[in-house]
């Protein structure tokens, strides 16, 4: 299986964390006054960015990659703070949050499922790990904010988009497509489904 | 300690997962319209069936058994879907849900505590791991649905039933009773206490 | 790095667990009638006392220390039961709960961050593990009680106190201060900030 050799570059992982934290902080900012204050926004942003990857590594029996270097936490906290500032500047940019959100689930889904395949997991568990990586951050976000969990609603297509994208990725890897091509395709499938859901849903 | 040699057969574990997922989906179906849609019911069913075993293995420092083969996830998702269909056909069968529920906590408690003993854990932690395995799925279900957690109420006897059954099991194993006999006894104790709680509670 | 040789004595760890469980049970008792019954109080107390340490060890890739001996669970359950009794005797001692709470986060923060350093984690992840150890019990408590999570509010200074104390500890260790001196200083910093927050907040 060609996935065995895959190494996720640090910058790709940090990019997904940055977008996740930014999106989490922007999301939480909408609930200021009512549910969370500034510190809460920073914590939720950081948790959204790091949650999926930490859950993924705990499930795979590894010390979370985010704890192996100073980069992940530093980047996640800075991105969350940036999200708080961006919220003040652009507080009508709901579309921007949506695109970031779609990109986060696409990237985390691809990273999680390729990592699971590389560790020798079978196809269905690899898709599962990809979905958990993709939606873990937002589920943690909703749990910490005591909100209904967005992932579970058909209309949001969160889980459906992540599941479809990672299933395409895993299938492609299993039939011999190079991992990088499979990962790009899987990410695009997830992003497109999620954006179509928001556009027409 | 005779537990050292115990291997839980795949079919027994899959049976517990099936019943857990079925029960979780039937439970969640009662809240349709208000809290969850069809996708949510499927996700909650799957989480209820797999949650206890995954928590158990993460606590024991292992990659969850549910990720080692395609069977667990496939069975859990199918059972959750079946639960959704059953709900339409038999929507007054509250008693059936209760029996399934009691059987799930009994089976998971027995599997979890024997696995903990087999890994060399002392008696009290083995009971604890059994209880977490037994109630983990339903706690996860309640967290995802933003409901009050049923496990914590005396009236429900959830935790009490699981604790009593696994304590009996662990005590029997420690005094030399064969693991399979202890496991059957422990399961029966849990199921009986839980059913008495519902009948007279 | 001098932290490498650090071993946390069992009694220190059990002291933190005792105080955590006591505090969790006292806290939960305030919500009797409304959210939790007696069993719930016992479960929440135990979860508050053990939650931070279990999360810490899961993140560090180890079987939780609380599962390696009968002591932790026995002590946590007894402390939670004691907390329930104390609540009846001294139900106006809100100040006592606050001091216990501050001491718990101080001790768990110091234990968690020194353990992370001893395992070779870099500075920022070590602070993160300390904070998770410190606030993990109370976050779990709030999740199980379906309450807004106290840790996230600036006014409570929970996370701020834990973060500041563990950051001081980690910095001191990195510049060569003996671990025990750093741990005592870090604990004091956390306790003082948290108590000042309550006094003047």
């Amino acid at each position: 299986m060609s996935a065995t050799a895959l190494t996720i570059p640090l910058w790709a992982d940090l990019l997904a964390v940055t977008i996740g934290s930014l999106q989490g902080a922007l999301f939480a900012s909408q609930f200021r006054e009512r549910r969370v204050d500034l510190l809460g926004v920073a914590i939720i942003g950081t948790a959204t960015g790091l949650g999926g990857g930490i859950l993924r590594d705990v499930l795979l029996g590894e010390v979370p990659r985010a704890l192996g270097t100073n980069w992940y936490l530093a980047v996640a906290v800075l991105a969350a703070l940036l999200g708080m500032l961006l919220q003040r500047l652009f507080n009508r940019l709901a579309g921007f949050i949506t695109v970031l959100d779609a990109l986060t689930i696409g990237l985390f889904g691809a990273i999680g499922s390729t990592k699971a395949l590389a560790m020798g997991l079978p196809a269905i568990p690899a898709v599962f790990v990809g979905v958990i990586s993709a939606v873990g951050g937002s589920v943690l976000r909703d749990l910490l904010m005591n909100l209904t969990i967005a992932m579970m609603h058909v209309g949001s297509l969160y889980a459906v988009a992540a599941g479809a994208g990672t299933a395409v990725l895993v299938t492609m890897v299993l039939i011999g497509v190079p991992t990088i091509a499979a990962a790009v395709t899987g990410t695009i499938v997830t992003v497109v489904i999620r954006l179509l859901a928001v556009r027409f849903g």
Side-chain angles (χ1 to χ4, degrees), chain A:
Chain A
M1 199 184 314
S2 60
T4 320
L6 185 80
T7 311
I8 300 138
L10 183 63
W11 65 262
D13 217 10
L14 288 178
L15 181 67
V17 168
T18 302
I19 296 173
S21 293
L22 202 64
Q23 183 273 326
L26 286 168
F27 181 86
S29 295
Q30 301 170 322
F31 296 84
R32 280 276 307 286
E33 321 297 325
R34 209 158 63 79
R35 282 180 187 265
V36 286
D37 57 22
L38 280 175
L39 179 66
V41 170
I43 292 175
I44 288 163
T46 307
T48 309
L50 297 176
I54 289 178
L55 267 178
R56 173 199 67 206
D57 292 340
V58 166
L59 284 176
L60 294 175
E62 297 196 333
V63 176
R65 199 178 182 196
L67 302 185
T69 131
N70 288 322
W71 280 105
Y72 285 84
L73 279 152
V75 161
V77 171
L78 288 176
L81 295 176
L82 187 65
M84 287 167 57
L85 293 176
L86 280 178
Q87 197 264 344
R88 300 200 158 201
L89 295 174
F90 315 98
N91 66 35
R92 286 183 208 78
L93 273 180
F96 185 59
I97 304 184
T98 304
V99 173
L100 286 185
D101 192 37
L103 202 53
T104 312
I105 57 179
L107 287 171
F108 273 118
I111 294 171
S113 54
T114 50
K115 183 163 184 176
L117 286 174
M119 289 185 63
L121 265 63
I124 299 178
V127 171
F128 175 77
V129 170
V131 172
I132 294 282
S133 310
V135 302
S138 77
V139 171
L140 191 59
R141 178 196 73 195
D142 294 341
L143 276 179
L144 290 177
M145 295 181 73
N146 218 344
L147 293 174
T148 305
I149 293 173
M151 180 260 299
M152 293 196 300
H153 293 278
V154 168
S156 79
L157 287 190
Y158 256 98
V160 173
T166 52
V168 165
L169 184 162
V170 169
T171 307
M172 288 174 75
V173 169
L174 292 179
I175 62 176
V177 175
T179 305
I180 184 70
V184 170
T185 311
T187 305
I188 291 171
V189 168
T190 296
V191 171
V192 167
I193 292 178
R194 171 69 184 141
L195 291 181
L196 287 175
V198 176
R199 185 76 182 75
F200 301 104

